[in-house]
Amino acid sequence: MIRSTPQDDNSAFLPGAKSLARKLTRFMPLTDDDLRMLDTLPISEERFPADTDIIGEGMQPRSVFLLQEGMAVRYRCLADGRRQIMTFLLPGDLCNPHMFLLKTMDHSIGTLTPVRIAALSRERLVGVFATHPRVSAALWWTSLQEQAMLHEHIVSLGRRDAKERIAFLLCELLWRYDAMGLAEDGMYSLPLTQTELGDAVGLTPVHVNRVLRDFRTQGLILMKHRMLKVLDVEGLQEVASFSKDYLHFDGASAEVLNYLNRLEA
Amino acid sequence: MIRSTPQDDNSAFLPGAKSLARKLTRFMPLTDDDLRMLDTLPISEERFPADTDIIGEGMQPRSVFLLQEGMAVRYRCLADGRRQIMTFLLPGDLCNPHMFLLKTMDHSIGTLTPVRIAALSRERLVGVFATHPRVSAALWWTSLQEQAMLHEHIVSLGRRDAKERIAFLLCELLWRYDAMGLAEDGMYSLPLTQTELGDAVGLTPVHVNRVLRDFRTQGLILMKHRMLKVLDVEGLQEVASFSKDYLHFDGASAEVLNYLNRLEA
DNA sequence: CGCCACGTTGAATTCAGTCAAAGAGCGTGG
DNA sequence: CCACGCTCTTTGACTGAATTCAACGTGGCG
């Protein structure tokens, strides 16, 4: 059965900091103490409707927050209206561990769907870095992962053609959702208009449409009710020469794990 | 007078961690103690010739290092030889504070010129984060700045045309060099072939050539001996709608400075 | 001096953009 | 329940920015 977003079944509803915990454990196992600490971070919950700015360019960065439910994007607009989406924010994504150091936001964060976020205590977050090296390492890992995604995005826009770009994005989202347990059998929520997709991959909505049609007629994907089903994962990955190595779901190096374990003892 | 890189006058030769200190003080003033600490970080110095990989994709990340002199790039190659440069590394750039968490590099770092780097002690660096909140904040700031540059790079490749992209890059480099005291009167070292420039802005060398010619005939720039002189900074910035806000050279927010000062006392 | 990589220019090609119009889906309100 | 209006999707024809291919300059270095 297919549902439209926001999902109101509990598969996407992760109270406390569970979505963050889920994400961090993709990098390394966390102790019960680590998990308890994570659960003390959220201090309030906020909801935003779809197509709203959570925070806009030029504003002063407010609290660090965690996306719990829904989909959001980092984006920037040029003076003449051209728009570019830099990042997709999915449940479990932190935003932004140390942004508060800056005077003003250099980009906006906006919702694509209704969204639920948890504001995190800045003090306790700083405390985590001091007292929980394992969580701290996992948080750093998330920022490395984000950096790697930005790198790949640059490669896509700079050197990949339209089909490769779109296939690549769809693959990235598939594996990110999968890592959070939010993709089932190649299917996940994709609540984007073709204009928004174009704003992410640097193409016009018209061209996005044509590429998606080709993918559909080739039996690679199926789109319905703002859900995407990847029918042929291998095939789609091949179009984009996609390899999920850059997402670093393979965990921390043994050396780092040993080091952190020694600190524990 | 014009010199080719690497510069062997001492304007670009900053022993110890001076280049890092110079960069960090663009964000906030550092105490003598902070500076002394920074100077204890380098444990060895290495040199690489031009067009060499400092570390390649797939390798295990080694030590954290600081670029002291010369120019390097982060880049990725696709299977068929297409190449995309993600980042330019200039003197004072740190590379990469927490990359060692990962099992393998997802991109390469290569030199464009002969380069001098300082390997930093991982332990002391971790120590800095624990004991020197002010340096720690400044280091975080550098990673935010890098993230902002990646964002702008994505905007360029996704939504700016050829002239805008190239003008934007030249402006960014101008202000980055300027911040390090390595640009004088709009002139700085640009030891790139047009192919390499194209690999950064996602264009072919032929098209890069044509755009540069236009800029030259418009009296915007002048290139000679691998140096670039921006004759009309305003004009070049206008072509790209460039604003240097995103580089965040305006320092930390008063709130953060207060907070750090209170920690000090 | 001569090599070789890099820069420069022109002509033909192509991928993606633009413009325009028609169709589908969905919520609202009569 | 259907009609309306809105936004998003889809398709076709034409345009255009950037690529490709190919040739010729040029400047630095052994």
Side-chain angles (χ1 to χ4, degrees), chain A residues 162-204:
Chain A
K163 288 183 187 189
E164 293 174 310
R165 287 185 207 181
I166 293 178
F168 196 96
L169 175 60
L170 297 182
C171 289
E172 177 173 303
L173 289 174
L174 170 59
W175 291 112
R176 286 177 69 191
Y177 269 119
D178 181 68
M180 292 298 293
L182 296 174
E184 198 176 334
D185 203 21
M187 186 160 73
Y188 60 85
S189 162
L190 191 72
L192 299 176
T193 64
Q194 295 180 353
T195 301
E196 289 162 338
L197 245 172
D199 287 340
V201 294
L203 298 168
T204 56

Side-chain angles (χ1 to χ4, degrees), chain A residues 227-242:
Chain A
M227 296 289 293
L228 179 86
K229 167 124 188 175
V230 182
L231 298 171
D232 179 0
V233 179
E234 295 296 318
L236 194 65
Q237 293 191 146
E238 203 167 317
V239 169
S241 308
F242 183 94

Side-chain angles (χ1 to χ4, degrees), chain B residues 127-180:
Chain B
V128 166
F129 279 103
T131 62
H132 289 66
R134 173 188 289 288
V135 176
S136 169
L139 289 172
W140 272 339
W141 168 74
T142 64
S143 83
L144 283 174
Q145 192 195 42
E146 186 171 337
Q147 196 187 341
M149 291 190 293
L150 291 175
H151 286 166
E152 282 303 323
H153 202 164
I154 288 173
V155 174
S156 274
L157 297 173
R159 291 303 185 200
R160 288 196 255 253
D161 68 23
K163 288 184 186 187
E164 294 174 310
R165 287 185 208 181
I166 292 178
F168 196 96
L169 175 60
L170 297 182
C171 290
E172 176 172 304
L173 289 174
L174 171 59
W175 292 113
R176 287 177 68 190
Y177 270 119
D178 181 69
M180 292 298 293

Side-chain angles (χ1 to χ4, degrees), chain B residues 107-143:
Chain B
H107 63 275
S108 304
I109 299 179
T111 63
L112 297 176
T113 67
V115 144
R116 194 165 52 85
I117 66 176
L120 302 191
S121 159
R122 202 185 285 181
E123 291 70 30
R124 277 179 228 159
L125 194 60
V126 171
V128 166
F129 279 103
T131 62
H132 289 66
R134 173 188 289 288
V135 176
S136 169
L139 289 172
W140 272 339
W141 168 74
T142 64
S143 83

Side-chain angles (χ1 to χ4, degrees), chain A residues 127-190:
Chain A
V128 165
F129 279 103
T131 60
H132 289 67
R134 177 188 285 287
V135 175
S136 169
L139 288 173
W140 271 339
W141 168 75
T142 64
S143 83
L144 283 173
Q145 192 196 41
E146 186 171 337
Q147 195 185 344
M149 291 191 292
L150 291 175
H151 286 165
E152 283 301 323
H153 202 164
I154 288 173
V155 174
S156 274
L157 297 173
R159 290 303 186 199
R160 288 195 255 253
D161 68 23
K163 288 183 187 189
E164 293 174 310
R165 287 185 207 181
I166 293 178
F168 196 96
L169 175 60
L170 297 182
C171 289
E172 177 173 303
L173 289 174
L174 170 59
W175 291 112
R176 286 177 69 191
Y177 269 119
D178 181 68
M180 292 298 293
L182 296 174
E184 198 176 334
D185 203 21
M187 186 160 73
Y188 60 85
S189 162
L190 191 72

Side-chain angles (χ1 to χ4, degrees), chain B residues 11-75:
Chain B
S11 70
F13 185 90
L14 302 164
K18 281 233 173 51
S19 59
L20 180 58
R22 163 100 207 197
K23 178 160 186 193
L24 297 187
T25 49
R26 292 306 309 244
F27 179 59
M28 57 166 64
L30 296 178
T31 65
D32 287 349
D33 181 49
D34 291 333
L35 295 172
R36 265 193 304 278
M37 175 46 121
L38 282 181
D39 258 339
T40 68
L41 290 178
I43 48 179
S44 72
E45 189 175 292
E46 266 179 272
R47 283 164 191 274
F48 290 85
D51 300 312
T52 315
D53 275 358
I54 295 176
I55 183 167
E57 189 179 334
M59 294 173 67
Q60 173 148 15
R62 302 175 307 168
S63 54
V64 177
F65 68 82
L66 169 67
L67 185 61
Q68 305 261 48
E69 194 185 346
M71 198 182 215
V73 289
R74 289 179 205 277
Y75 72 92

Side-chain angles (χ1 to χ4, degrees), chain A residues 21-56:
Chain A
R22 163 99 205 199
K23 178 160 186 192
L24 297 186
T25 49
R26 291 307 308 246
F27 179 59
M28 57 167 63
L30 297 179
T31 65
D32 288 347
D33 182 49
D34 291 333
L35 295 173
R36 265 193 303 277
M37 174 47 119
L38 282 181
D39 258 339
T40 69
L41 291 178
I43 48 179
S44 72
E45 189 175 292
E46 265 181 272
R47 284 165 190 275
F48 290 85
D51 299 312
T52 314
D53 274 0
I54 295 177
I55 184 168

